[in-house]
Amino acid sequence: MTETIKVSESLELHAVAENHVKPLYQLICKNKTWLQQSLNWPQFVASEDDTRKNVQGNMMLHQRGYAKMFLIFQEEEVVGVISFNLIEPLNKTAYIGYWLDESHQRQGIMSRALQAFIGHYAGRGELRRFVIKCRVANPASNQVARRNGFELEGCLKQAEFLNGEYHDVNLYARIIENASE
């Protein structure tokens, strides 16, 4: 049974598993054009098999505690992804990535998923520092970070190569000392 984090009656996070390959691939295909405006990896997803390999790799990293990839389900439909792209176990630090189906944006889904996600791992004492890096030119992602209590720690100049050019990246962090925060 895969790990599940309940967000609300209609929203759940499910650790990625083999049975998620097809719906995840379909969601990527549906959103590929706009995803490529903010992320580099969609251009490399050419088949369901590419998604399967990514899922298998993420399942292994999940089991080892070096990353966590969860699918966001609304009413049992996959609508996005939230993940710890990298976990530093010694530092109890996780680097967060996320994306949401374009038709499900601006409904508070990502904020609710993010709060449940970080709350789950902070509550278990596994993590305490959460980091979001997003391009300065991605206002929606910056807003998610600010809206959810992340503080801007700085701007990394020309830190992300996307679509043939380097972009500045804002670095946000939130520290949760105990589960009640």
Side-chain angles (χ1 to χ4, degrees):
M1 175 119 172
T2 61
E3 186 176 0
T4 300
I5 300 170
K6 189 168 182 72
V7 179
S8 69
E9 284 303 312
S10 61
L11 207 59
E12 290 184 338
L13 310 178
H14 294 264
V16 72
E18 288 275 348
N19 62 317
H20 297 138
V21 170
K22 187 177 183 113
L24 178 57
Y25 175 67
Q26 291 170 339
L27 191 66
I28 292 167
C29 289
K30 177 184 173 194
N31 289 276
K32 197 168 192 172
T33 301
W34 82 261
L35 280 172
Q36 288 181 168
Q37 296 170 16
S38 298
L39 300 166
N40 194 46
W41 59 262
Q43 65 182 314
F44 302 110
V45 180
S47 69
E48 198 171 298
D49 195 51
D50 292 334
T51 302
R52 179 173 289 101
K53 289 174 186 171
N54 179 274
V55 164
Q56 289 169 342
N58 273 285
M59 289 170 59
M60 182 188 67
L61 291 170
H62 188 111
Q63 291 168 346
R64 294 181 179 173
Y66 293 114
K68 304 283 183 190
M69 180 180 178
F70 282 76
L71 300 185
I72 302 168
F73 280 79
Q74 183 178 45
E75 302 291 345
E76 300 183 25
E77 174 192 2
V78 179
V79 298
V81 174
I82 189 163
S83 60
F84 294 142
N85 295 329
L86 171 66
I87 295 173
E88 297 174 354
L90 182 63
N91 296 325
K92 292 190 173 190
T93 298
Y95 294 82
I96 301 170
Y98 46 80
W99 64 270
L100 196 60
D101 174 54
E102 196 169 18
S103 67
H104 287 84
Q105 294 176 11
R106 290 173 286 287
Q107 298 174 31
I109 293 170
M110 189 55 70
S111 288
R112 286 181 287 155
L114 179 60
Q115 289 295 334
F117 192 45
I118 64 177
H120 177 78
Y121 285 96
R124 290 168 39 167
E126 294 179 34
L127 298 167
R128 61 179 292 278
R129 179 176 164 81
F130 302 91
V131 178
I132 295 174
K133 291 174 18 180
C134 49
R135 283 184 312 113
V136 172
N138 183 343
S141 193
N142 281 270
Q143 198 168 39
V144 167
R146 287 191 302 271
R147 190 181 301 126
N148 288 282
F150 285 74
E151 293 182 31
L152 180 64
E153 291 191 342
C155 181
L156 308 173
K157 300 296 180 187
Q158 298 184 19
E160 183 176 315
F161 188 74
L162 178 66
N163 298 325
E165 58 187 21
Y166 289 93
H167 298 269
D168 295 349
V169 173
N170 282 332
L171 182 108
Y172 294 91
R174 180 171 170 194
I175 297 171
I176 300 177
E177 294 290 348
N178 59 54
S180 63
E181 288 182 44

